[in-house]
Amino acid sequence: WDPSYCDLRRPTIIAPLQTAMNKKMNEKMTDPELGKEKSFGTLELSSDSGDNQSQVETAIPSDEPSVLTLTPPSSSSDRTAHKWLLGIGFLAMLLLGASIMLISNFNRDKFFFEFQSFARGFHDVSKINLDTIVGHLQTLSVSVTSESAQYKSTPNITLHNLDIRAQEISNFSGIEMVLYIPLVDASLRSAWESYTVQNQGWIAKDYKYRGWNASNIKRIREQIYDCDFNFTSLPDDEHANAIAKDETYIRDALPMLGYANGRPMAPISQFGPAVVDPSLVMMDLFSHPMFGKEMVASMKYKHTALSKPMDLSLFLDSIAPQTNYSANTKRSFILHPVKKDFPKDSEVMGFLMGIVSWEEVFKLKLPSNVNGLDVVVKNACGDDFTFVANGGKPPTFADGDNHDYLYNQFGYETVLYEATEIDAASGDSQCYRHRLVIYPTDELRESFDLIDPLHVLGFGGLILLVCGGIFFFYVRYTQRRQAKLMEQAKRAETIITSVFPKGVGLRLIKQAEEMERQTIKRVNSRKMLNTFLAKNGVEALIPERRKPIADFFPNTTVMFADIVGFTAWSSTREPSQVFILLETLYEAFDVQAHKRDIFKVETVGDCYVAVCGLPEPREDHMVCMTLFAEDCLTIMATQVQSLEVELGPDTADLGIRIGLHSGPVTAGVLRGDRSRFQLFGDTMNTCARIESSGERNKVQVSKETADLLTTMGKSSWIYPRSDKIYAKGKGQMQTFWMRRLQHSDDPSIAPKKMKFPSDRYQHPSQTKAERRVSLHGNIKRRSGNVSKKKFDRLVSWNVDVLMSLLKQVTERRELLETKPDDRRVIKAVEEELSVPVSEGGKAAFDEVVESIEIATFNAQAVSGPLPHVMDMGEQIQDELREFVHTIASMYNDNPFHNFEHASHVTMSVMKLLSRIVAPDIDGDESQLHDHTYGITSDPLTQFAVVLSAMLHDLDHLGVPNSQLMKEVPELSRMYKDKSVAEQNSIDLAWALLMEDRFATLRRSIYSTTSELRRFRQLVVNTILATDIMDKELKALRNAKWDKAFSHQGVGALGSLMEINNRKATVVIEHLIQASDISHTMQHWQVYRKWNQRLFKEMYRAYCEGHSEKDPSDGWYEGEIGFFDFYIIPLAKKLDECGVFGVSSHEYLNYAEQNRKEWEKKGRSVVAQYVEQIQHEYTMAIRERNH
């Protein structure tokens, strides 16, 4: 029934009438006034003519039927439909016309905005390129000023290595040529000419640097000569006018510069790169007005001048012909003043002139489908030219402004370069302001995907036909439907007039309003809360302010669970590893919480908060939460063991501390930017106190929870804690421990038997590892007593780390298509490097070099696709696992120098390497290679450093080198009293690797003799770098650091490759040193753990007679000195070398914090060390006697 087709005498009853008609007939409800059930009457709708009357029944609150009269419409349906069709057709035509206009405007706006985007990008890149070029000249100018201020010999100065500097500037900025032009006064001319002739040896040095034959060098002229070359393509008369104008400017400006009696001379002194014809030397550029004018302006305002485009082939013909340049491109020279000293008002003593191609300035790679960008360069002197930028074709140049004037309105104008120091009012600035105006072209417009209005017109017409057909059938359907409604209205009219008395409409409205109010009252806040939880919170919220969604729950049990040792553990990991741990644990907790009908409230850091008993109350909330706490203990124990293989040592040592408390809470949705479901009340605070006072891998419950468990018949699950806890705001509290249940009712979280290496790899306690060097003395070797599971987890983790790096080594080798050397040649080199020291072989200490050769950058190695997914094969993996397992078994059971510590060092090396390989800098792979001195481009270097970390303390006997040399003199003699333990580790590990059973593994590490020698050198240098007590090695390392990171130039320290290799070597050595003592630069708990182990090792050596001094005497002072003179300076060096990113700051911060903490607590900590060790020895003696 559509009310719009009915003429209602009382329209106020339409809405309540529709509501009433949807009610069930004869519905009963209680009348609030009478307090009794009341029956509703029947509403019948009929027409006037009503032979065939039909009834529509509904519940109407009335004692008698009421009457409502309806009048059917009298208009013609067919005529209305035709009008609608005509109106819609006319409207559709208007819409199509408007659409075409809108599309045309849209196309124009889209083209305009996208062109503006290209233009802005083109300008930004061009300005950056030009600023980079000027910046390089400024940097070189500072260097020249420094030499001038030092030697005070102006203008008689020879710039060192200008050819090399010019080459570097050309490589990095695109400047094609750099010239040094001193200002020579007439009184100094003869002296300067003599000095320049006598010091022309710089040309021979440049020839030698480039490997050219110095006998072909042409001698320079002996006197200054004028420059009369025509650098423009102007007609003779225009050229003469320009020269005259420049001469007038020079003549007027010279007196103000102190040259009233004549002009100075500006002869070319040096230039580069790759000088072929030195005849430019002695050419006086001041004699040419075009250069003289720029020099006068530069001297007057001490600014950098950018000339107009000129023909500068005279200069470029004097450098090596292999320097590729196009003679058709536009060029300008950039003139930068060189001052005698650094003060701002210092006198200009000369100029640095760079020749630059505008093609280099406009070096922007447009998309290949974008062509036709007209770039017009203008200045006030009228030296305009047009550069046409194309994405897929070479750029073109043309003199003058050649853009299409149809696109004037699209022009994007901006300033490219401006000498801001010049006073515009003086008129000097007119030629020093270069404007950039960028215009589109027809070719550019055609490259955009624009909408064709004709296509839209055709598509719109099709839509119009379809819509017209749909509307036609809809009208036909509506006509039939309205005919039936009209018949029903006629039949109902007589019935309605007898059904509704006066005032029924008002009563119906009041009833509907009351029903709406009752409906709102029946919406319980608890149902609102359930709706929010079912929809994950945010979706259930309505933006406008309304009644809070909150409720009070009197019977709940809350759980707080905190990971024990997480803060210290996370300080040694990468952020990604921290999140792997948390996501794995919390996901497992969430799955189990869903099974137990536990509601997870939130996670705050490493604390997991859950509640049972809401939103749906339950009587056994304390039992359910206790079982869930047991599940969490089991999940924690299982997950951390399995994750240790992925996340490294100490992961399995993590535990969990759980607290439970029962009581009432207020729960609700706290609205805001990030709406969340929150719990409030004293129960939450009490539960947090109970958790924080608990113990590792235990569940502590409050007395309230314990009483509820007892009531439920679960008293056997708990037992009282022997001591009371103190809770802030609560005082002393009696708590209970939960007994570990003997079984879990959920097999999915039961501990699973972990898979470890094959049984053929025996535990070190079951087999004696082979050693090549037999040591004699009083020092005992101790077999490991670490658990087999932990031992196997450490081995598996080291294998995974080394295998991932080994895959990168093999991948790079395949990408570079490295051809392997003959195996017999490699075997000969292996035998050469494996001759024992006792048989005349070379000691590892003697192999230490100042710099190790690092692989050079190769674009193919970083961009080429791999031919297939790298599969190392089971043979290599088995051999690597066996090698690592054997190495682990060769470590002695020392408290500190053991395989667990070696794994900890390896983990630190991986963390620092990850910061090198993925630093926080932007740039391509080439820039990353330079930034990290080549380490990122060389997987073999990374593999060797990580392997060295695992090997560096192999077979360590738990005593320092000084004591080892006393007690094992034959070892001391063999290694010449130098780094005895470290050299022994190298020889043992190398001899093991050279065994035949590891032949396939060796082939995967290196395939050529050069890779073999470089791998050996890396291992030797890295392991020996861990000997921080040898004074000779320490002095050598300090000297290398000073040399590598000094501020001297390339020529003074060797080639760029030699400098990078030296820096890479220093970085690697400091990386392993920092990793070896990384516990001192990590969380306080990590530092205390390893410091206590080292103290225990030293104390055991003292008790067994291997040390004359009790380590507790001076341990406190020694640690402070170790921080001040080694750890903190080392952390600062990590920061200074600039390749470790945020890790260097992190290490330095931890080192300084631990130093402060040790200074505050160190004496008591040492006392605790001694007390604990003495207690352990006492218990051990009792056990042995027993």
Side-chain angles (χ1 to χ4, degrees):
W1 183 17
D2 189 344
S4 62
Y5 288 92
C6 301
D7 180 15
L8 299 181
R9 297 180 180 178
R10 297 183 180 181
T12 55
I13 67 170
I14 295 174
L17 179 61
Q18 290 176 332
T19 303
M21 292 179 67
N22 290 330
K23 297 304 244 179
K24 295 181 180 179
M25 188 175 70
N26 295 328
E27 179 181 346
K28 295 182 179 181
M29 67 180 297
T30 302
D31 189 330
E33 298 179 358
L34 302 178
K36 63 180 182 179
E37 293 186 355
K38 186 171 184 177
S39 179
F40 284 74
T42 301
L43 172 64
E44 297 178 350
L45 303 180
S46 64
S47 63
D48 287 339
S49 58
D51 292 336
N52 299 322
Q53 294 185 353
S54 65
Q55 294 183 344
V56 181
E57 299 181 351
T58 185
I60 301 296
S62 175
D63 295 326
E64 299 177 351
S66 299
V67 180
L68 179 65
T69 304
L70 302 177
T71 302
S74 58
S75 59
S76 172
S77 299
D78 292 339
R79 191 179 305 165
T80 302
H82 293 159
K83 291 180 179 179
W84 274 100
L85 286 175
L86 290 175
I88 290 177
F90 179 73
L91 180 61
M93 295 301 296
L94 289 178
L95 289 176
L96 284 176
S99 298
I100 293 175
M101 294 179 61
L102 289 174
I103 291 170
S104 299
N105 292 333
F106 171 78
N107 286 342
R108 181 183 180 280
D109 292 342
K110 178 182 177 182
F111 174 69
F112 174 77
F113 286 120
E114 295 202 22
F115 161 73
Q116 289 283 312
S117 176
F118 278 118
R120 281 193 296 269
F122 190 91
H123 164 260
D124 293 344
V125 172
S126 302
K127 184 144 184 34
I128 290 172
N129 292 341
L130 189 55
D131 290 345
T132 300
I133 292 170
V134 174
H136 278 282
L137 285 180
Q138 290 174 343
T139 302
L140 184 56
S141 171
V142 171
S143 176
V144 178
T145 300
S146 176
E147 294 186 22
S148 169
Q150 180 179 1
Y151 296 110
K152 307 291 184 183
S153 58
T154 308
N156 298 341
I157 293 178
T158 301
L159 304 185
H160 298 292
N161 302 316
L162 179 62
D163 181 73
I164 298 175
R165 296 181 184 181
Q167 187 67 60
E168 290 182 348
I169 291 176
S170 177
N171 293 340
F172 286 103
S173 67
I175 294 179
E176 296 177 277
M177 189 175 183
V178 178
L179 302 94
Y180 173 57
I181 308 167
L183 281 174
V184 180
D185 195 72
S187 61
L188 301 176
R189 172 175 178 169
S190 178
W192 184 85
E193 290 173 341
S194 299
Y195 172 83
T196 304
V197 173
Q198 293 173 6
N199 291 273
Q200 60 181 305
W202 62 272
I203 303 174
K205 289 182 180 180
D206 294 345
Y207 269 60
K208 183 178 179 181
Y209 168 74
R210 297 187 176 275
W212 295 348
N213 186 359
S215 62
N216 297 330
I217 300 177
K218 299 179 182 179
R219 292 190 60 83
I220 66 174
R221 297 193 184 188
E222 297 184 356
Q223 292 182 340
I224 298 175
Y225 66 97
D226 292 341
C227 174
D228 56 359
F229 188 79
N230 185 359
F231 294 96
T232 67
S233 59
L234 297 174
D236 292 341
D237 54 343
E238 294 183 17
H239 177 69
N241 291 335
I243 294 295
K245 184 178 179 182
D246 292 343
E247 288 176 343
T248 301
Y249 178 82
I250 295 171
R251 186 170 53 253
D252 294 341
L254 280 177
M256 293 185 292
L257 299 175
Y259 294 99
N261 299 325
R263 67 171 179 83
M265 288 170 282
I268 297 175
S269 176
Q270 292 173 261
F271 61 91
V275 178
V276 173
D277 183 4
S279 61
L280 287 179
V281 178
M282 298 282 188
M283 177 186 285
D284 180 14
L285 293 184
F286 212 117
S287 64
H288 197 290
M290 288 187 174
F291 291 93
K293 174 191 174 185
E294 305 292 347
M295 292 179 180
V296 166
S298 184
M299 291 167 62
K300 183 177 179 182
Y301 299 104
K302 297 183 177 60
H303 73 90
T304 303
L306 175 64
S307 75
K308 61 185 179 182
M310 302 170 65
D311 178 12
L312 299 174
S313 59
L314 172 67
F315 301 100
L316 295 175
D317 290 341
S318 299
I319 60 177
Q322 64 264 29
T323 303
N324 297 322
Y325 70 92
S326 172
N328 297 324
T329 189
K330 294 290 182 180
R331 288 181 175 81
S332 293
F333 66 83
I334 300 176
L335 201 65
H336 186 77
V338 179
K339 300 179 182 179
K340 287 186 178 181
D341 210 337
F342 289 105
K344 187 175 182 180
D345 58 350
S346 180
E347 182 182 354
V348 175
M349 71 171 194
F351 305 93
L352 283 172
M353 188 174 83
I355 297 177
V356 62
S357 165
W358 283 96
E359 190 172 335
E360 284 293 328
V361 175
F362 297 146
K363 185 168 59 177
L364 172 65
K365 293 183 178 179
L366 296 174
S368 58
N369 63 332
V370 177
N371 292 310
L373 205 63
D374 283 346
V375 182
V376 182
V377 180
K378 296 184 176 184
N379 66 12
C381 293
D383 304 316
D384 302 347
F385 66 91
T386 303
F387 173 89
V388 182
N390 297 306
K393 298 181 294 184
T396 58
F397 287 89
D399 291 327
D401 186 350
N402 294 331
H403 80 277
D404 189 342
Y405 288 92
L406 293 176
Y407 293 101
N408 279 351
Q409 58 181 334
F410 288 90
Y412 179 84
E413 182 172 355
T414 183
V415 176
L416 178 63
Y417 178 79
E418 182 176 17
T420 56
E421 295 84 352
I422 297 180
D423 182 11
S426 67
D428 292 343
S429 64
Q430 59 181 348
C431 296
Y432 298 101
R433 178 183 174 93
H434 289 75
R435 292 181 297 116
L436 204 64
V437 188
I438 305 175
Y439 299 95
T441 62
D442 291 338
E443 191 175 8
L444 179 66
R445 186 182 182 91
E446 292 173 359
S447 64
F448 284 94
D449 295 328
L450 302 178
I451 303 174
D452 188 352
L454 295 179
H455 292 169
V456 175
L457 180 62
F459 183 72
L462 179 62
I463 293 178
L464 178 63
L465 291 176
V466 173
C467 291
I470 294 174
F471 184 78
F472 174 78
F473 287 107
Y474 173 76
V475 170
R476 296 289 297 175
Y477 166 76
T478 303
Q479 288 175 343
R480 294 178 182 178
R481 179 171 172 270
Q482 293 302 323
K484 293 181 180 179
L485 288 176
M486 290 172 63
E487 292 178 1
Q488 293 178 1
K490 291 178 181 179
R491 289 195 300 266
E493 182 176 3
T494 55
I495 300 175
I496 293 174
T497 54
S498 61
V499 170
F500 291 100
K502 295 181 179 180
V504 162
L506 294 177
R507 291 178 59 190
L508 289 176
I509 292 174
K510 290 180 179 180
Q511 181 187 6
E513 292 175 349
E514 181 64 24
M515 290 175 62
E516 182 68 18
R517 284 194 295 268
Q518 293 295 334
T519 301
I520 294 175
K521 289 180 180 179
R522 284 195 298 268
V523 176
N524 193 288
S525 61
R526 181 165 297 174
K527 291 183 179 180
M528 297 170 66
L529 182 62
N530 292 341
T531 303
F532 175 82
L533 297 176
K535 293 187 177 182
N536 252 343
V538 177
E539 294 83 355
L541 295 179
I542 299 175
E544 62 266 15
R545 186 177 182 86
R546 62 173 185 171
K547 183 179 179 181
I549 303 176
D551 207 345
F552 179 75
F553 296 88
N555 301 309
T556 65
T557 298
V558 180
M559 182 189 84
F560 275 64
D562 192 65
I563 301 176
V564 181
F566 173 80
T567 304
W569 178 89
S570 62
S571 71
T572 64
R573 262 65 178 186
E574 280 288 284
S576 60
Q577 295 177 312
V578 174
F579 273 77
I580 288 174
L581 173 74
L582 294 178
E583 288 177 353
T584 303
L585 290 178
Y586 290 164
E587 182 180 4
F589 288 175
D590 292 344
V591 171
Q592 195 61 23
H594 181 72
K595 294 179 181 179
R596 294 283 188 192
D597 199 17
I598 302 295
F599 181 75
K600 172 188 174 182
V601 181
E602 61 181 343
T603 57
V604 182
D606 60 322
C607 183
Y608 188 93
V609 183
V611 63
C612 185
L614 66 83
E616 295 297 336
R618 53 186 300 172
E619 295 181 358
D620 61 341
H621 55 86
M622 76 298 296
V623 175
C624 186
M625 184 58 82
T626 305
L627 292 173
F628 178 65
E630 170 74 13
D631 295 339
C632 290
L633 290 177
T634 304
I635 291 171
M636 184 73 185
T638 303
Q639 293 291 346
V640 294
Q641 290 188 28
S642 61
L643 285 172
E644 188 167 53
V645 178
E646 179 181 0
L647 302 181
D650 302 332
T651 303
D653 296 335
L654 293 173
I656 191 171
R657 186 175 58 238
I658 299 177
L660 303 182
H661 179 58
S662 300
V665 296
T666 297
V669 179
L670 192 62
R671 299 191 184 100
D673 289 342
R674 293 174 177 82
S675 301
R676 292 193 303 169
F677 182 79
Q678 295 282 359
L679 304 183
F680 300 94
D682 182 66
T683 300
M684 297 294 291
N685 298 331
T686 304
C687 188
R689 303 290 187 271
I690 291 173
E691 177 273 317
S692 62
S693 62
E695 294 181 4
R696 171 193 177 90
N697 293 334
K698 283 188 175 183
V699 178
Q700 183 172 217
V701 301
S702 66
K703 187 176 185 304
E704 289 78 0
T705 305
D707 292 342
L708 291 174
L709 288 173
T710 302
T711 303
M712 298 295 291
K714 306 297 182 182
S715 59
S716 60
W717 287 10
I718 56 175
Y719 63 95
R721 181 171 177 166
S722 59
D723 58 330
K724 292 185 178 181
I725 67 169
Y726 175 80
K728 182 180 179 181
K730 295 289 184 179
Q732 300 291 330
M733 293 182 62
Q734 175 64 57
T735 59
F736 294 77
W737 296 117
M738 189 188 81
R739 288 189 174 91
R740 292 301 304 270
L741 305 182
Q742 298 300 317
H743 66 280
S744 173
D745 57 356
D746 188 350
S748 64
I749 64 169
K752 299 178 176 58
K753 184 177 180 180
M754 300 190 66
K755 297 182 179 180
F756 290 105
S758 173
D759 293 337
R760 68 189 181 95
Y761 306 126
Q762 298 183 7
H763 190 261
S765 61
Q766 301 169 351
T767 182
K768 183 178 180 180
E770 299 179 1
R771 291 175 171 83
R772 290 181 65 250
V773 181
S774 177
L775 305 181
H776 303 283
N778 299 321
I779 306 176
K780 297 179 181 180
R781 285 194 174 91
R782 295 174 171 84
S783 60
N785 61 5
V786 64
S787 68
K788 184 178 186 301
K789 286 186 177 180
K790 184 170 184 178
F791 178 86
D792 287 338
R793 288 198 301 267
L794 290 175
V795 169
S796 297
W797 178 78
N798 280 277
V799 169
D800 288 348
V801 168
L802 292 172
M803 181 57 67
S804 65
L805 293 172
L806 196 56
K807 285 183 179 179
Q808 297 178 30
V809 173
T810 309
E811 287 172 358
R812 187 177 195 275
R813 192 178 296 135
E814 289 199 11
L815 286 171
L816 295 178
E817 300 178 355
T818 303
K819 183 178 181 181
D821 291 345
D822 187 89
R823 291 193 176 185
R824 290 171 295 181
V825 176
I826 296 178
K827 184 67 175 177
V829 178
E830 290 177 341
E831 293 175 352
E832 172 194 340
L833 297 175
S834 303
V835 177
V837 180
S838 58
E839 300 177 10
K842 191 175 182 180
F845 189 90
D846 297 329
E847 298 181 42
V848 177
V849 295
E850 183 183 79
S851 64
I852 304 172
E853 181 182 352
I854 304 297
T856 57
F857 177 74
N858 190 304
Q860 183 180 355
V862 298
S863 60
L866 279 174
H868 58 276
V869 178
M870 184 58 59
D871 183 9
M872 299 300 292
E874 293 185 3
Q875 178 71 18
I876 296 177
Q877 298 184 43
D878 289 343
E879 289 187 11
L880 179 60
R881 184 173 295 278
E882 184 175 0
F883 176 76
V884 175
H885 193 280
T886 307
I887 288 293
S889 67
M890 294 171 68
Y891 271 86
N892 293 305
D893 182 29
N894 301 312
F896 184 84
H897 293 96
N898 51 35
F899 185 62
E900 184 180 357
H901 176 256
S903 300
H904 187 269
V905 175
T906 303
M907 183 170 59
S908 180
V909 168
M910 286 297 297
K911 180 178 180 178
L912 290 176
L913 276 178
S914 69
R915 297 307 308 166
I916 297 178
V917 175
D920 300 325
I921 65 168
D922 297 326
D924 57 20
E925 296 291 344
S926 176
Q927 292 174 322
L928 185 59
H929 173 92
D930 296 336
H931 176 76
T932 60
Y933 315 123
I935 298 176
T936 57
S937 303
D938 191 5
L940 181 60
T941 297
Q942 301 169 33
F943 175 82
V945 173
V946 174
L947 180 65
S948 300
M950 188 186 71
L951 303 175
H952 78 286
D953 280 334
L954 184 63
D955 197 34
H956 199 286
L957 296 178
V959 296
N961 278 331
S962 57
Q963 187 66 24
L964 186 63
M965 290 186 291
K966 292 179 182 179
E967 302 198 23
V968 191
E970 60 271 27
L971 194 65
S972 177
R973 288 191 298 271
M974 188 184 345
Y975 294 125
K976 301 176 183 179
D977 299 334
K978 298 291 185 183
S979 304
V980 176
E982 288 76 14
Q983 292 194 76
N984 182 46
S985 298
I986 293 173
D987 287 347
L988 288 175
W990 191 262
L992 178 66
L993 182 61
M994 292 301 113
E995 292 183 4
D996 293 339
R997 53 178 169 157
F998 301 121
T1000 307
L1001 175 61
R1002 294 198 301 273
R1003 296 292 83 79
S1004 65
I1005 298 174
Y1006 51 81
S1007 62
T1008 64
T1009 56
S1010 61
E1011 289 181 344
L1012 168 58
R1013 293 187 183 277
R1014 191 155 59 87
F1015 172 68
R1016 166 75 181 187
Q1017 195 65 67
L1018 284 164
V1019 171
V1020 169
N1021 265 53
T1022 304
I1023 293 180
L1024 288 180
T1026 61
D1027 183 7
I1028 63 176
M1029 304 306 296
D1030 188 282
K1031 295 182 179 179
E1032 184 177 343
L1033 277 177
K1034 184 178 180 181
L1036 177 62
R1037 286 193 292 267
N1038 290 337
K1040 281 196 294 186
W1041 174 274
D1042 295 337
K1043 190 175 182 180
F1045 292 97
S1046 68
H1047 299 290
Q1048 300 183 41
V1050 176
L1053 299 176
S1055 66
L1056 186 60
M1057 181 179 295
E1058 291 174 346
I1059 293 176
N1060 279 342
N1061 287 341
R1062 187 181 299 111
K1063 288 183 177 181
T1065 304
V1066 171
V1067 168
I1068 290 170
E1069 291 177 351
H1070 283 74
L1071 181 149
I1072 191 66
Q1073 290 172 17
S1075 299
D1076 195 23
I1077 58 167
S1078 59
H1079 61 279
T1080 64
M1081 296 181 279
Q1082 291 168 352
H1083 191 270
W1084 168 254
Q1085 296 299 331
V1086 178
Y1087 166 64
R1088 271 206 58 178
K1089 168 186 172 181
W1090 289 106
N1091 184 260
Q1092 182 176 7
R1093 291 189 180 187
L1094 180 60
F1095 180 85
K1096 183 177 180 180
E1097 184 175 299
M1098 301 294 288
Y1099 199 87
R1100 185 173 71 178
Y1102 167 71
C1103 294
E1104 294 177 353
H1106 301 305
S1107 177
E1108 299 176 356
K1109 182 181 179 181
D1110 184 347
S1112 61
D1113 298 336
W1115 189 268
Y1116 170 78
E1117 294 80 4
E1119 284 295 297
I1120 291 180
F1122 194 43
F1123 272 111
D1124 291 340
F1125 299 108
Y1126 183 74
I1127 297 172
I1128 293 178
L1130 177 60
K1132 290 181 178 179
K1133 285 185 177 181
L1134 295 181
D1135 193 16
E1136 290 172 9
C1137 66
V1139 298
F1140 293 108
V1142 295
S1143 291
S1144 57
H1145 307 303
E1146 175 189 356
Y1147 276 28
L1148 179 58
N1149 290 337
Y1150 271 124
E1152 292 174 342
Q1153 292 173 9
N1154 288 337
R1155 198 266 187 209
K1156 293 179 182 178
E1157 197 76 9
W1158 179 261
E1159 186 177 13
K1160 185 190 306 181
K1161 303 178 180 179
R1163 295 188 187 278
S1164 61
V1165 169
V1166 174
Q1168 293 173 13
Y1169 290 171
V1170 175
E1171 181 182 354
Q1172 183 175 350
I1173 293 174
Q1174 290 178 348
H1175 175 73
E1176 291 177 359
Y1177 275 125
T1178 302
M1179 297 301 296
I1181 292 173
R1182 289 180 181 177
E1183 184 178 353
R1184 184 168 62 251
N1185 293 337
H1186 178 72

